[in-house]
Amino acid sequence: MGMFRVAVLLFVLSSVALGQHYLSTEGQHFKLNGQRVFLSGLNMAWCRHGYDFGGGSYNFVSPGEFCPHPREAYEQAIRDIRNNGGNSLRVWLHVDGRHTPVFSSWGSVTQTDSTNQLINDLKSLLSYAKARNVLVFLVLWNGAHHHDMYWKRLQNLIWDDLKLDTYLEHALKPLAGALKNQRALGGWEIMNEPEGSLKIEHHSDPCYDTIFLQGTGAGWAHLDTSGLPTWTDVPRHRVLRFINRQAAAIKAKDPNHLVTVGSWSEHGQGVRNLYSDSCLQQAGGLTSGVLDFYQIHTYSHNGNYGSQAPFVVTDASHYPELSGKPIVIGEFSQARGAGMTITEQFSRAYSHGFAGAWSWHYLADRADDTATDASATQLIGLRELRFKNDQTRGGCVRINLNGSTNYCEKKPPCRQLYQYFYG
């Protein structure tokens, strides 16, 4: 009997250790390899905006384009993150369904992509990232803007449960099942800034009420060029159901990785929490379909942050509706930073109770995106945190995806430092 108890104890301990090989959560912090860790990284949201993976795109070279080779671009971003001491990358996948998954004329989903290469493309990306100790977070959909040619594809999934089921069965579950053992997969993001598509309205049920967002800027994607409402004017109930059912589908096939949603400001996750466990479960009916961590985006307007913005409040505890789960500042920039430098932003996120910070946007065309910083500026921000390891605050930054111990015990000597950065 004693030997049996010892065997059970060893099995439990080994299971815990194995589980720590994937990014996990403990209260308001992330953990990896038994240590508290801080996600220091950047966004490379896209190379060809929705045409990066699947259908032969990842390895297709087109010299005349702004980003001629997606694979080379993502691998360069991963190398830059590693060489400058960061540990994570946020990437967009479907966007609005323009390239993946494959839709029928009825609006149902039939497969992951036209050539069945999507899974292998993502495995290639994650393998490259793992070798360089960089976690990748995959964003499925974009709620901030929808291209006129493709709006029906995402519309069908949000409004029609039967069509959403086809996406879950023929695309999302196969993806989640195929990637569940990838250590470099940090997590899944169901949608970027769904508040752009929200209908602002009063509802008697607090879970579906959005009137408190009036005047905040939410719902910006719901007007067409003539100022008339479009399908993107979506009730909160449909948005919550859309998120709940996808989160549950992922967790059914992939119990190892985390799920989140990226909000456009502290008004979506922060001052209020649009995506509480109880509201997601009520709307979608699936207990497991909840978020594992929260994510706030923040940019200044007219040169100032809002009074409740992450870089203005005392610390992350200012958002009691988000207590109990990690909070990542998922988009920010020095260009729209209210006078804060990139190093001040990364440092403040680390030391004020947040669990991660991702700058915007490694490869954006700065002529078209005034909110983005040059990549060199963002890498300066990463270097500010590269040796941080305060286990009482932010945590370890120099993670290890190829073993059971992180690289955070002490600042390495020159030889080890060279090997860490350049392999």
Side-chain angles (χ1 to χ4, degrees):
M1 192 66 176
M3 291 292 290
F4 175 76
R5 288 174 178 168
V6 170
V8 169
L9 178 60
L10 290 174
F11 173 78
V12 170
L13 291 174
S14 66
S15 297
V16 171
L18 182 61
Q20 268 295 292
H21 287 175
Y22 301 97
L23 186 71
S24 63
T25 65
E26 184 177 86
Q28 292 197 246
H29 305 282
F30 292 113
K31 294 197 77 175
L32 182 70
N33 294 326
Q35 284 185 305
R36 182 181 296 182
V37 299
F38 182 89
L39 300 179
S40 175
L42 51 81
N43 285 268
M44 186 177 139
W46 61 81
C47 169
R48 294 179 183 159
H49 202 257
Y51 292 92
D52 291 343
F53 306 98
S57 293
Y58 191 48
N59 291 295
F60 181 73
V61 180
S62 180
E65 294 198 27
F66 173 71
C67 180
H69 191 178
R71 180 173 186 152
E72 285 188 358
Y74 283 105
E75 290 181 354
Q76 181 63 58
I78 289 168
R79 289 195 300 273
D80 278 350
I81 291 170
R82 183 203 183 196
N83 292 345
N84 289 275
N87 61 23
S88 45
L89 174 68
R90 181 173 176 255
V91 173
W92 292 16
L93 189 56
H94 303 313
V95 184
D96 50 17
R98 60 186 60 192
H99 181 60
T100 66
V102 176
F103 287 82
S104 71
S105 58
W106 177 65
S108 61
V109 172
T110 59
Q111 62 193 82
T112 59
D113 63 296
S114 61
T115 58
N116 291 315
Q117 291 175 280
L118 180 58
I119 288 172
N120 286 336
D121 288 349
L122 294 175
K123 283 184 174 180
S124 176
L125 173 71
L126 293 169
S127 176
Y128 194 88
K130 177 176 178 288
R132 288 150 185 84
N133 295 309
V134 173
L135 289 163
V136 176
F137 293 79
L138 297 174
V139 184
L140 298 177
W141 305 102
N142 180 28
H145 173 73
H146 306 296
H147 192 287
D148 292 342
M149 289 180 63
Y150 310 108
W151 62 268
K152 273 194 173 181
R153 296 177 181 179
L154 184 52
Q155 172 197 15
N156 282 329
L157 303 186
I158 292 177
W159 285 95
D160 190 325
D161 288 343
L162 293 178
K163 292 183 175 70
L164 179 58
D165 284 342
T166 66
Y167 170 67
L168 302 182
E169 295 303 320
H170 299 303
L172 186 56
K173 287 183 179 179
L175 278 171
L179 301 181
K180 67 180 179 180
N181 295 324
Q182 297 289 322
R183 279 198 72 177
L185 179 58
W188 302 86
E189 183 175 327
I190 305 302
M191 182 174 266
N192 170 69
E193 300 186 358
E195 302 85 12
S197 302
L198 271 180
K199 183 177 183 179
I200 308 303
E201 62 179 346
H202 174 72
H203 197 288
S204 58
D205 189 324
C207 279
Y208 307 140
D209 183 59
T210 54
I211 198 67
F212 65 91
L213 290 172
Q214 198 164 53
T216 65
W220 68 88
H222 83 280
L223 299 178
D224 65 16
T225 54
S226 62
L228 297 175
T230 69
W231 74 269
T232 55
D233 196 16
V234 183
R236 185 177 170 189
H237 171 261
R238 293 308 312 181
V239 172
L240 290 173
R241 187 171 179 83
F242 181 71
I243 294 167
N244 171 262
R245 299 190 67 199
Q246 289 179 84
I250 289 170
K251 293 179 181 183
K253 293 294 183 179
D254 177 8
N256 296 325
H257 297 112
L258 307 176
V259 174
T260 190
V261 163
S263 284
W264 105 106
S265 82
E266 68 277 3
H267 295 289
Q269 295 177 57
V271 181
R272 295 281 292 270
N273 183 8
L274 288 170
Y275 312 105
S276 66
D277 290 1
S278 59
C279 286
L280 284 167
Q281 291 164 340
Q282 177 179 311
L286 300 175
T287 303
S288 61
V290 298
L291 307 185
D292 297 303
F293 68 95
Y294 297 116
Q295 184 193 149
I296 304 172
H297 303 168
T298 187
Y299 298 100
S300 64
H301 296 276
N302 299 318
N304 297 295
Y305 281 127
S307 62
Q308 307 296 309
F311 290 126
V312 174
V313 298
T314 305
D315 55 40
S317 66
H318 184 81
Y319 305 127
E321 291 199 23
L322 306 186
S323 64
K325 297 183 182 183
I327 306 171
V328 173
I329 305 178
E331 290 184 19
F332 63 95
S333 69
Q334 179 175 287
R336 291 273 299 278
M340 294 183 71
T341 67
I342 195 73
T343 55
E344 289 172 334
Q345 290 169 318
F346 271 99
S347 293
R348 186 171 179 84
Y350 183 91
S351 61
H352 285 70
F354 295 96
W358 298 325
S359 60
W360 182 263
H361 160 14
Y362 177 83
L363 202 63
D365 185 344
R366 299 181 69 226
D368 295 332
D369 184 355
T370 59
T372 193
D373 289 330
S375 58
T377 300
Q378 298 175 63
L379 299 179
I380 291 171
L382 295 187
R383 292 198 292 274
E384 182 71 10
L385 301 185
R386 57 184 165 178
F387 298 124
K388 292 286 188 180
N389 182 30
D390 186 344
Q391 289 294 305
T392 66
R393 298 178 76 87
C396 167
V397 173
R398 296 174 64 235
I399 63 172
N400 181 11
L401 299 178
N402 299 281
S404 58
T405 304
N406 294 319
Y407 297 115
C408 300
E409 287 68 31
K410 58 183 179 180
K411 187 172 180 178
C414 292
R415 183 184 297 273
Q416 292 180 12
L417 181 61
Y418 181 89
Q419 290 174 342
Y420 174 77
F421 284 153
Y422 301 108

